Amino acid sequence: HSPISFDQLSVLISIIQQSNIDAFVRVGKNDILEIKKTLDLGVNGIIVPMIKNEKDAINAVKYTRYPPIGNRSFGYSKANKYGINFDRYIKKSNKIKLLLQIEHVDAIKNLETILSVKNIDGTIIGPYDLSGSINQPGNLSSNKIKELIKKYEKISRKFNVPMGYHQVKIDHTQLRKIINKK
């Protein structure tokens, strides 16, 4: 949802990391080239949108991780200082966080198989797309959305997978409720 180019993204990542903050990037889609280019910029975490099933989750892991876990290709890039820190980067690359966006009713239906995939660090619920997937776009207070989010929370707790929430409007009271739910 952003017009940011990879050149601009590279600068933003540098600024964020110089402030001793981890840089997480939500890529535009679950695509090997887009994920590779983003990882090669040296991010600390990748957020992959529109995960709907186990195959999508497996692909996100494969695109994000080096062999033997995944099939990410090796090469000199900004992430490894164009080869200067190649070995060190490869060793620490397993610390890159992978978060999957759960934002479609199909993802909720398939959540147990999605969360069964190894090497996922967490998920984030996407309420707007979730509401759109049940033909109630933007109706975040509907009973159906509330049911789907409760199911998401229940299954995520069962699999002990950390959950994230997109808070549409800043509401500190609601944010505290979400944090305290754990």
Side-chain angles (χ1 to χ4, degrees):
H1 301 299
S2 172
I4 294 173
S5 70
F6 279 101
D7 288 339
Q8 293 167 323
L9 182 60
S10 180
V11 172
L12 291 170
I13 290 166
S14 295
I15 291 168
I16 291 166
Q17 290 174 335
Q18 285 174 3
S19 300
N20 291 318
I21 298 170
D22 286 346
F24 281 67
V25 173
R26 180 202 178 273
V27 294
K29 62 181 178 175
N30 193 4
D31 174 78
I32 191 168
L33 183 58
E34 192 163 332
I35 290 172
K36 177 193 176 321
K37 288 171 76 172
T38 302
L39 290 169
D40 284 351
L41 293 175
V43 298
N44 304 95
I46 289 281
I47 303 167
V48 182
M50 275 300 164
I51 300 297
K52 295 182 184 176
N53 53 50
E54 181 182 26
K55 182 181 179 210
D56 290 344
I58 289 169
N59 284 339
V61 170
K62 284 184 355 184
Y63 302 159
T64 306
R65 309 291 185 210
Y66 287 118
I69 295 168
N71 62 9
R72 180 180 172 195
S73 64
F74 296 90
Y76 292 169
S77 66
K78 180 182 175 189
N80 59 47
K81 298 198 185 322
Y82 301 97
I84 294 170
N85 292 336
F86 184 80
D87 292 335
R88 190 170 74 189
Y89 177 76
I90 299 303
K91 287 177 186 170
K92 78 172 196 167
S93 68
N94 62 350
K95 291 183 175 25
I96 294 169
K97 300 297 182 197
L98 173 60
L99 305 178
L100 306 180
Q101 283 192 278
I102 305 300
E103 48 191 347
H104 195 278
V105 67
D106 291 346
I108 302 295
K109 290 177 188 173
N110 298 318
L111 194 56
E112 290 201 14
T113 58
I114 291 169
L115 297 183
S116 295
V117 174
K118 291 184 181 354
N119 298 297
I120 295 168
D121 297 295
T123 63
I124 299 173
I125 193 86
Y128 271 113
D129 283 323
L130 184 60
S131 68
S133 75
I134 60 167
N135 294 318
Q136 296 182 19
N139 188 1
L140 305 183
S141 60
S142 80
N143 288 335
K144 182 65 176 171
I145 287 294
K146 289 177 183 177
E147 288 172 26
L148 291 170
I149 291 174
K150 281 182 185 175
K151 185 174 180 182
Y152 161 76
E153 292 169 345
K154 182 179 178 183
I155 294 170
S156 295
R157 281 190 197 97
K158 175 182 170 184
F159 282 82
N160 199 31
V161 174
M163 298 172 274
Y165 295 84
H166 171 138
Q167 191 175 34
V168 179
K169 295 179 183 169
I170 296 175
D171 179 337
H172 296 288
T173 303
Q174 182 65 22
L175 182 59
R176 277 196 268 328
K177 284 181 188 176
I178 290 171
I179 291 169
N180 292 330
K181 271 186 183 182
K182 292 183 185 179

